[in-house]
Amino acid sequence: MKGLDYRWLDALDTVIANGGFDKAAEALFITQSAVSQRIKQLETLVAQPVLIRETPPQPTAIGKKLLGLHRRVQLLEKETLPELTSEGLAGPITVPIATNADSLATWLLPALSPLMKAQTLEINLIVDDESRTLNRLRSGEAVVAISNEATPLKGCVAESLGVMEYLCVCTPAFKATYFPDGLNAEAVSRAPAVVFDRFDDMHTQFVSERFQLPTPGWRSHMVRSSEAFVKMAKLGVAYCLIPRLQIESELASGELIDLCPGDGVIRHLYWHHFATESGVLAEMSSACLNYARKTVGEGKISRTV
């Protein structure tokens, strides 16, 4: 079988990035028919469509894999070529990172900040639940993923970052209103909680394991922001599971209280990256692993969800 022509992949990437064939042609300084021809040659090679021809065009499943391959090759090329020439690194490398919202809200940006300050790294953050971030690496959207899955993809390595501790917290006033006698099934069924999105199963499992309540058996707000979880808890409008790392000062001051001392939740986190990474990518992995292991740590509570 004839190998890939990276001009075909470049055409695919440019069509997706620019939202159409005409704009892709302008960006590549070729005719629209030439762009179409390159896409057709790519589709002939893989014997299936790589694009859904709508407005704007969208990649098919195989198209996403090819885009991921193309972007990884570009990244490796940008990182490797300066080592082979006397010109050095031409500029920062853009790295797409699939991360969960809680890591983003706590340790990830401080870990990356030295490389960003040195202008060797630009980040493109793709935020998703830690149970789904690995799909972003699998599809090629990201080259690194923070996941709760310990098993690496083929050609990748999964290294432990530590565990994220979640405490079930609220304000003293909220506790007095909804949980005067502590947490029990009846009180939990009345008290408003917070979930990240419809896929977020942490609070569901927390409630189910402790109080045997079905999913429709309790109230919840849906808020797609880790920072908003903290805000809602501090405003006294809900109780929720929040990383200990994110609310240490609020716990110390008594603004928020732990409703289940010693009975919170932990989630193991893993840094998934390609086994062959070097240069800035390797520096990034080392920086994140070292920072997370010092900051997130091994956890103080035993229950895992």
Side-chain angles (χ1 to χ4, degrees), residues 41-265:
Q41 289 173 312
L42 182 58
E43 291 178 328
T44 298
L45 176 70
V46 298
Q48 57 185 297
V50 297
L51 280 174
I52 300 171
R53 287 163 170 78
E54 57 185 18
T55 304
Q58 298 296 324
T60 61
I62 188 66
K64 289 180 180 179
K65 289 185 177 181
L66 290 168
L67 284 171
L69 170 64
H70 183 235
R71 291 166 186 174
R72 289 198 298 273
V73 168
Q74 285 184 312
L75 185 61
L76 288 171
E77 182 180 288
K78 188 173 183 181
E79 186 179 43
T80 304
L81 280 180
E83 298 177 6
L84 307 177
T85 69
S86 59
E87 296 179 1
L89 190 64
I93 292 175
T94 301
V95 180
I97 303 170
T99 177
N100 61 321
D102 293 330
S103 290
L104 176 57
T106 51
W107 63 269
L108 181 59
L109 291 178
L112 294 171
S113 63
L115 289 173
M116 290 190 285
K117 287 178 180 177
Q119 297 187 19
T120 58
L121 178 72
E122 290 180 351
I123 56 174
N124 173 15
L125 296 177
I126 304 165
V127 183
D128 208 336
D129 185 82
E130 59 267 25
S131 64
R132 300 190 300 275
T133 48
L134 205 54
N135 292 334
R136 306 294 190 132
L137 183 60
R138 183 179 289 109
S139 70
E141 294 173 80
V143 298
V144 174
I146 298 168
S147 171
N148 63 354
E149 173 59 56
T151 305
L153 301 178
K154 185 177 180 180
C156 293
V157 176
E159 300 188 71
S160 175
L161 290 160
V163 296
M164 187 75 80
E165 302 181 25
Y166 290 83
L167 306 181
C168 184
V169 301
C170 69
T171 61
F174 188 94
K175 179 181 179 181
T177 301
Y178 287 96
F179 304 120
D181 301 316
L183 269 71
N184 54 62
E186 181 181 356
V188 167
S189 67
R190 294 185 293 105
V194 187
V195 298
F196 189 79
D197 59 23
R198 64 189 180 90
F199 303 106
D200 182 7
D201 63 352
M202 186 183 295
H203 202 97
T204 297
Q205 293 186 38
F206 177 83
V207 168
S208 175
E209 288 181 1
R210 290 158 182 79
F211 310 108
Q212 290 73 54
L213 285 175
T215 301
W218 47 277
R219 300 165 52 196
S220 65
H221 302 284
M222 189 177 293
V223 182
R224 296 171 179 85
S225 163
S226 292
E227 291 81 1
F229 269 55
V230 178
K231 189 70 173 178
M232 292 185 74
K234 290 167 66 173
L235 288 171
V237 297
Y239 78 109
C240 47
L241 291 161
I242 301 176
R244 180 195 294 269
L245 187 61
Q246 199 172 357
I247 51 172
E248 289 179 335
S249 61
E250 288 84 356
L251 291 169
S253 69
E255 186 177 9
L256 294 177
I257 56 175
D258 185 355
L259 287 167
C260 302
D263 190 27
V265 169

Side-chain angles (χ1 to χ4, degrees), residues 7-60:
R7 292 177 299 174
W8 305 344
L9 295 181
D10 196 29
L12 174 62
D13 204 346
T14 308
V15 168
I16 296 300
N18 289 274
F21 284 73
D22 52 346
K23 292 182 179 178
E26 292 177 11
L28 293 170
F29 301 101
I30 58 177
T31 65
Q32 185 173 333
S33 62
V35 174
S36 298
Q37 182 63 25
R38 290 181 184 183
I39 298 296
K40 288 179 182 177
Q41 289 173 312
L42 182 58
E43 291 178 328
T44 298
L45 176 70
V46 298
Q48 57 185 297
V50 297
L51 280 174
I52 300 171
R53 287 163 170 78
E54 57 185 18
T55 304
Q58 298 296 324
T60 61

Side-chain angles (χ1 to χ4, degrees), residues 267-289:
R267 279 202 165 171
H268 295 265
L269 294 177
Y270 299 89
W271 181 262
H272 290 255
H273 61 92
F274 290 98
T276 55
E277 70 178 13
S278 61
V280 174
L281 292 178
E283 288 181 44
M284 178 188 68
S285 287
S286 178
C288 287
L289 287 164

